[in-house]
């Protein structure tokens, strides 16, 4: 550990839309925030090539450029952005207590308030061809990227409610949607299954898995395999939507902060307050319903306001 322990008013862990928006509001409130970006500076959005649904970008932008804009705006008001990973936490349960965190397993920092915006990571299949084409036709968010596939043929991988919702959403935009379900049944609720069944341009292929995503720079199709018969076939599509779930980045908070059975942080009512005084959560780390850049930014604003009011009440 370093010999000198730095004390700060507001520590922000994570650097996506939630973290940067929290930083903008916290710095304008003179909380002098320090942000640790994590290993993926800018978060999940940096894997998105085009962003057309964030207010203020009439011509659209790409995820990396948008995160750079938010970073510059946060720094303009005095946020100190640091590249590093928070590796452990020791939060105080006392109102007005000091929270201790360790960065990169070597540097200890003390903070009066902490805003957690570590996000969630989309689960992928793990195929080399899939990873190579993320942003080139492979996506984990239909509401983010579906617009770009208007009138085209796409596949959705998954069998739960999320996959069914993404598939029916895409059916309103795309020419044809094919759901690839690994087993011989869907896990989605009966209501969602009925919706899928009653959507004319939506086909479900059971016992089917992707063997390879085809295409050099953009998706040109998928080779699928029937896991019962071993039969392979090529389905020509331009988009592949993976809907097999997300994993919130909350491992270091287990046993410290309240979370649901899948690891999403639980916040109090409509606020961003966690069960620990002075610790707040914003963005996808506490939101498994919407998972949009604009909603993450909104909760980032809320977290900064909650932190400011928390500190104000201590005076």
């Amino acid at each position: 550990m370093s010999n000198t322990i730095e004390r700060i008013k507001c520590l922000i862990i994570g650097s996506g839309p939630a973290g940067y928006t929290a930083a903008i509001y916290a710095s304008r409130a003179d909380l002098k925030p320090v942000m640790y970006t994590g290993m993926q500076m800018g978060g999940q959005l940096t894997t998105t090539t085009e962003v057309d649904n964030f207010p203020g970008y009439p011509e659209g932008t790409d995820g990396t450029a948008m995160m750079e804009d938010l970073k510059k705006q946060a720094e303009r008001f005095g946020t100190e952005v640091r590249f590093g990973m928070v590796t452990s936490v020791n939060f105080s349960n006392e109102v007005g207590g000091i929270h201790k965190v360790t960065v990169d397993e070597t540097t200890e920092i003390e903070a009066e308030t902490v805003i957690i915006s570590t996000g969630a990571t989309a689960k992928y299949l793990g195929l080399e061809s899939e990873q190579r084409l993320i942003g080139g036709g492979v996506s984990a968010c239909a509401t983010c990227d579906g617009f770009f596939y208007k009138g085209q043929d796409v596949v959705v991988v998954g069998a739960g409610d999320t996959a069914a919702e993404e598939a029916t959403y895409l059916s309103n935009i795309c020419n044809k949607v094919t759901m690839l379900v690994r087993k011989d049944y869907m896990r989605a609720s009966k209501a969602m299954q009925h919706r899928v069944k009653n959507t004319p341009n939506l086909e479900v292929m059971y016992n089917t898995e992707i063997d390879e995503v085809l295409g050099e720079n953009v998706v040109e199709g998928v080779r699928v395999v029937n896991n019962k018969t071993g039969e392979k076939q090529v389905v020509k599509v331009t988009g592949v939507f993976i809907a097999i779930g997300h994993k919130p980045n909350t491992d270091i908070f287990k046993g410290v902060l309240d979370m649901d059975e899948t690891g999403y942080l639980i916040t109090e009512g409509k606020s961003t307050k966690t069960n620990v005084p002075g610790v707040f959560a914003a963005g996808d780390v506490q939101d498994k319903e919407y998972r949009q850049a604009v909603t993450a930014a909104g909760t980032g604003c809320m977290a900064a306001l909650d932190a400011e009011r928390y500190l104000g009440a201590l005076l």
Side-chain angles (χ1 to χ4, degrees):
M1 295 289 177
S2 106
N3 292 327
T4 332
I5 297 178
E6 182 181 12
R7 170 78 64 89
I8 58 179
K9 272 188 181 181
C10 180
L11 171 68
I12 300 171
I13 307 174
S15 55
Y20 282 132
T21 305
I24 291 166
Y25 275 79
S27 52
R28 283 170 59 87
D30 203 27
L31 300 189
K32 299 178 174 56
V34 171
M35 169 187 285
Y36 278 95
T37 63
M39 293 300 103
Q40 188 178 27
M41 187 182 288
Q44 273 193 96
L45 215 63
T46 57
T47 65
T48 302
T49 50
E50 295 180 76
V51 178
D52 259 358
N53 57 1
F54 196 91
Y57 291 91
E59 303 304 318
T61 183
D62 69 74
T64 301
M66 192 176 94
M67 289 302 96
E68 188 59 30
D69 284 345
L70 291 181
K71 176 175 176 284
K72 287 176 181 174
Q73 190 173 358
E75 289 178 324
R76 174 186 160 209
F77 293 115
T79 300
E80 187 174 342
V81 179
R82 301 175 183 173
F83 183 75
M85 173 78 78
V86 172
T87 47
S88 66
V89 299
N90 181 12
F91 293 154
S92 168
N93 287 310
E94 300 296 323
V95 174
I98 299 302
H99 306 296
K100 299 177 181 179
V101 306
T102 303
V103 179
D104 296 328
E105 299 181 351
T106 57
T107 306
E108 191 171 288
I109 290 176
E110 295 182 343
E112 295 174 42
T113 59
V114 177
I115 294 173
I116 298 166
S117 54
T118 49
T121 303
K123 295 178 183 177
Y124 285 93
L125 302 172
L127 300 171
E128 183 279 328
S129 54
E130 168 205 52
Q131 296 297 303
R132 179 169 51 80
L133 288 166
I134 290 173
V138 174
S139 169
C141 181
T143 50
C144 307
D145 300 326
F147 174 81
F148 302 113
Y149 300 90
K150 189 174 183 179
Q152 301 174 44
D153 294 351
V154 301
V155 295
V156 174
V157 180
D161 277 348
T162 298
E165 284 173 10
E166 299 239 310
T168 51
Y169 171 82
L170 288 165
S171 71
N172 294 315
I173 301 169
C174 302
N175 176 56
K176 182 182 179 183
V177 180
T178 304
M179 283 187 75
L180 305 180
V181 176
R182 190 164 52 92
K183 297 186 178 179
D184 58 2
Y185 62 90
M186 290 178 65
R187 290 183 293 101
S189 64
K190 291 298 182 185
M192 287 307 303
Q193 289 188 51
H194 290 317
R195 192 184 300 179
V196 167
K197 188 177 179 181
N198 293 327
T199 303
N201 62 334
L202 204 169
E203 177 189 353
V204 181
M205 295 176 68
Y206 292 99
N207 298 118
T208 303
E209 300 178 51
I210 290 183
D211 183 55
E212 187 174 1
V213 182
L214 306 174
E216 281 300 313
N217 300 312
V218 295
V219 170
E220 296 173 5
V222 290
R223 185 170 66 234
V224 300
V225 57
N226 184 299
N227 54 32
K228 281 281 184 72
T229 65
E231 180 187 352
K232 293 184 180 181
Q233 63 175 296
V234 171
V235 181
K236 288 194 172 296
V237 293
T238 52
V240 179
F241 291 87
I242 310 297
I244 57 175
H246 287 72
K247 182 184 184 302
N249 302 320
T250 55
D251 286 352
I252 63 170
F253 308 114
K254 283 181 179 171
V256 180
L257 297 177
D258 288 345
M259 52 184 77
D260 69 10
E261 67 282 355
T262 51
Y264 286 90
L265 297 183
I266 295 171
T267 50
E268 183 183 308
K270 293 183 178 180
S271 77
T272 62
K273 299 173 185 175
T274 68
N275 59 299
V276 173
V279 177
F280 309 92
D284 288 10
V285 76
Q286 53 84 56
D287 171 25
K288 59 183 177 183
E289 296 297 328
Y290 302 104
R291 295 196 297 264
Q292 299 297 300
V294 69
T295 52
T299 56
C301 161
M302 292 163 60
L305 294 174
D306 285 342
E308 180 188 5
R309 289 165 184 167
Y310 169 82
L311 290 172
L314 298 176
L315 299 177

